[in-house]
Amino acid sequence: MTNALAARSLIKLEITRALRNRKALFFSMIYPSLLFVIISGTNSDVPGSELSVSAFMMVSMASFGALTAVLMGNSERIAKERESGWVRQLRLTTLPGRGYVLAKTASAAVVSLPSILVVFAVAAAFKDVRFAAWQWLALTGAIWAGSLCFAALGVAIGYLATGDAVRPITMIVYFALSLLGGLWMPSTTFPDWLQDLADWLPTHAYAALGRAIELGGAPHAKDVILLAAYFLLFAGGAAWLYRKDTLKA
């Protein structure tokens, strides 16, 4: 089996498995939507932003939902696969490290899309959030594409942690990135030193993509470059950890 065929086969398998995990799908879709309804209580403007609270938090919770889907699911599933021997079986194929990371990232992206769309639907139906058709399409594409960065991070964590330790480690990373990146509250409310830190976090750049589109413009180059750099870092690290684990076998 060639490298390309092995990668395609694994991608198809991973997507099928992800869609069958109905509990994870339900959690990643409902949880962010409920948080959105609770947090976006008013339509006043967010301090330091031209967006209303509802529009601002819609992007935050759509990003948070995608983050939930790709980070939590990937890391725990990979750690369990390593312990069950599934990854050992993959090493017997010609699948390269980049193919493994690609398959896991692709399956996570499929799971993240419904969580984004549900938050958008709830925002439009219950909070009267309105945008032009091109903005809805651009928001969906930007948040969906940006979630690939965190899917790669989930793969890396799955290889760094054991089955017992992966959940607490992932939860710490998950909540730290969400809180400090400004997904739960505007980073403009942070102290100056914390705002400076937040500006360089992947979650801050991630949410900034959607907020720029909501304001009628294109995402800022800095945010796109920063998110792409984090993706290359996480994906490269995940591929290296996969190969390193293979050499130990």
Side-chain angles (χ1 to χ4, degrees), residues 148-224:
L148 299 179
C149 173
F150 305 100
L153 175 59
V155 178
I157 294 175
Y159 265 94
L160 278 173
T162 63
D164 291 333
V166 67
R167 176 165 291 189
I169 291 174
T170 304
M171 292 294 285
I172 290 171
V173 173
Y174 168 68
F175 284 115
L177 287 178
S178 299
L179 178 60
L180 298 178
L183 298 187
W184 289 352
M185 63 185 71
S187 59
T188 52
T189 62
F190 296 168
D192 290 341
W193 66 270
L194 196 53
Q195 290 187 43
D196 293 337
L197 172 63
D199 284 344
W200 293 98
L201 292 178
T203 37
H204 187 275
Y206 183 33
L209 301 181
R211 289 171 188 149
I213 293 170
E214 285 185 323
L215 291 170
H220 299 150
K222 175 191 172 184
D223 297 319
V224 175

Side-chain angles (χ1 to χ4, degrees), residues 37-160:
V37 172
I38 294 170
I39 295 173
S40 58
T42 67
N43 278 321
S44 59
D45 290 342
V46 174
S49 173
E50 299 175 38
L51 296 171
S52 67
V53 172
S54 296
F56 188 93
M57 293 311 300
M58 183 188 76
V59 165
S60 291
M61 290 300 103
S63 302
F64 179 64
L67 176 66
T68 302
V70 300
L71 183 59
M72 300 295 290
N74 249 0
S75 59
E76 292 189 31
R77 186 163 57 248
I78 290 170
K80 291 177 181 178
E81 288 175 356
R82 290 171 61 206
E83 292 189 344
S84 68
W86 168 242
V87 176
R88 191 178 303 114
Q89 294 297 317
L90 290 178
R91 297 191 192 108
L92 300 177
T93 71
T94 58
L95 183 71
R98 64 180 180 278
Y100 179 83
V101 175
L102 176 62
K104 290 296 185 181
T105 302
S107 65
V110 171
V111 176
S112 69
L113 183 58
S115 65
I116 297 168
L117 296 178
V118 170
V119 171
F120 286 176
V122 170
F126 296 100
K127 295 297 180 178
D128 199 34
V129 176
R130 296 289 183 266
F131 290 106
W134 74 265
Q135 287 175 296
W136 286 115
L137 291 173
L139 282 167
T140 303
I143 297 175
W144 192 24
S147 69
L148 299 179
C149 173
F150 305 100
L153 175 59
V155 178
I157 294 175
Y159 265 94
L160 278 173

